[in-house]
Amino acid sequence: MINRSVAHISPATALQMGKTTVKQPLPTQRVEQISPFLLLHHFGPTLVAPGEDPLDVGPHPHRGFEPVTFLFQGGIRHKDSQGNEGILQGGDVQWMTAGRGIIHSERASREFLETGGTMEGIQLWVNLPKAHKRAPARYQDIKAGQIPQLTLDEGRVSVAVVAGSFGEVKGPAQTYTPVTALTITLQAGGEVAIPLPEDHNALLYIVKGNVIVNGNFDYTAEQMLQFRNDGEGITLKAVDNSLVLVLAGEPIDEPLAQWGPYVMNTQTEIMEAMRDYQMGKMGFYID
Ligand code: MN
């Protein structure tokens, strides 16, 4: 396999969001997007006492893209204006299509509030092409048990296929454009070769640990690597026990207009989104 070379290294910068500090490697001042990926927030690991909610994100709208949550540890309760209510636990993934509009909240689950503990996860924004920006909102609640786990390299590497495929194995998430999302757990010394479509943009984010990429250099936690479209995949070898999110997707070659929670193609569509939210066209959130 010809490896895809590293184009750009982006360390995550800390960003205060309400009560939470999140680490943000995308976007940065230099990188607006890695289409179709717009934003990556790593929250936690935060250890809290019983009764404390380290998230406490109240109702807010979205339009024009897909907010995706990978929860590694903890418990989250999602509620939205479509009447969906979901509880995420460690290993679960929530793949939401904001489409024409949704209002949602994300808070610690009741169980987590009772016990306290560690909360850690990633929120990822995946863009939608113009043709699907006004798709009906959709909520995919994907439990850890529904996500195929491949065990490789004599048990030292485990690949969870959330979206797209790894070899013959397909992930359960439905996406509007081709997207690969893999969460890879490696024990120290574990090695894996990951094929990725050459014409798809690709990146990885190291949640935890230290990995050698393509046999060259090693990179540590809270760094994001963007790859060139110049090979068939990437290889990872863990220096320490590591957790890595690998993403690839077909680029969306369209103008980007973004304001706050809305991602559209033009400023006019952003204004329209703001107005539609005010007018209640994204539904009503009932707590
Ligand atoms: Mn949100």
Side-chain angles (χ1 to χ4, degrees):
M1 187 177 83
I2 300 164
N3 284 321
R4 296 175 58 154
S5 58
V6 175
H8 187 76
I9 304 158
S10 173
T13 51
L15 186 76
Q16 195 65 33
M17 288 190 71
K19 287 167 70 176
T20 322
T21 306
V22 300
K23 287 155 274 187
Q24 179 177 303
L26 181 74
T28 65
Q29 288 198 328
R30 286 179 59 188
V31 182
E32 184 190 30
Q33 62 166 329
I34 301 171
S35 181
F37 308 109
L38 301 165
L39 173 145
L40 197 155
H41 279 171
H42 176 198
F43 54 91
T46 310
L47 177 65
V48 299
E52 264 187 65
D53 185 343
L55 299 174
D56 199 19
V57 181
H60 60 279
H62 289 297
R63 173 179 279 183
F65 69 100
E66 301 196 299
V68 180
T69 304
F70 301 84
L71 188 65
F72 303 126
Q73 308 180 67
I76 295 179
R77 172 173 169 248
H78 159 98
K79 257 194 100 168
D80 67 42
S81 51
Q82 300 272 309
N84 299 306
E85 196 171 343
I87 305 290
L88 279 87
Q89 291 176 311
D92 295 347
V93 174
Q94 167 185 293
W95 201 292
M96 195 168 79
T97 307
R100 66 169 74 117
I102 197 163
I103 302 166
H104 79 138
S105 66
E106 285 171 296
R107 297 188 168 108
S109 64
R110 280 191 197 96
E111 191 189 9
F112 184 85
L113 287 171
E114 272 169 32
T115 59
T118 302
M119 188 81 85
E120 184 179 26
I122 280 179
Q123 182 157 106
L124 172 75
W125 288 14
V126 183
N127 203 2
L128 286 169
K130 189 175 182 60
H132 298 297
K133 281 195 180 294
R134 290 164 204 271
R138 177 172 72 180
Y139 178 71
Q140 299 176 68
D141 183 2
I142 306 167
K143 301 292 180 211
Q146 296 168 256
I147 301 170
Q149 295 269 353
L150 283 134
T151 304
L152 306 164
D153 197 13
E154 296 168 342
R156 293 186 293 183
V157 176
S158 168
V159 180
V161 186
V162 176
S165 57
F166 185 98
E168 302 290 299
V169 179
K170 283 190 167 34
Q174 294 175 45
T175 61
Y176 281 90
T177 56
V179 172
T180 305
L182 312 168
T183 52
I184 305 184
T185 310
L186 305 101
Q187 290 173 25
E191 260 183 284
V192 61
I194 305 154
L196 297 168
E198 189 164 355
D199 56 345
H200 287 193
N201 289 340
L203 63 90
L204 68 74
Y205 179 76
I206 304 170
V207 179
K208 188 185 90 174
N210 188 326
V211 291
I212 298 167
V213 178
N214 298 339
N216 293 325
F217 302 104
D218 66 311
Y219 301 91
T220 55
E222 300 175 13
Q223 287 187 314
M224 190 194 77
L225 306 186
Q226 180 184 356
F227 295 95
R228 292 196 182 86
N229 301 69
D230 61 356
E232 297 147 328
I234 58 172
T235 58
L236 304 180
K237 182 174 183 176
V239 178
D240 302 317
N241 293 344
S242 301
L243 176 61
V244 180
L245 175 67
V246 173
L247 299 168
E250 189 178 272
I252 297 169
D253 189 16
E254 293 176 3
L256 186 68
Q258 189 176 345
W259 186 87
Y262 311 122
V263 184
M264 304 302 289
N265 299 111
T266 67
Q267 282 303 319
T268 308
E269 290 171 323
I270 293 290
M271 302 297 280
E272 190 185 8
M274 293 162 84
R275 196 188 58 211
D276 286 353
Y277 170 59
Q278 298 293 340
M279 288 174 69
K281 286 188 181 174
M282 295 187 188
F284 295 94
Y285 177 97
I286 300 151
D287 224 347

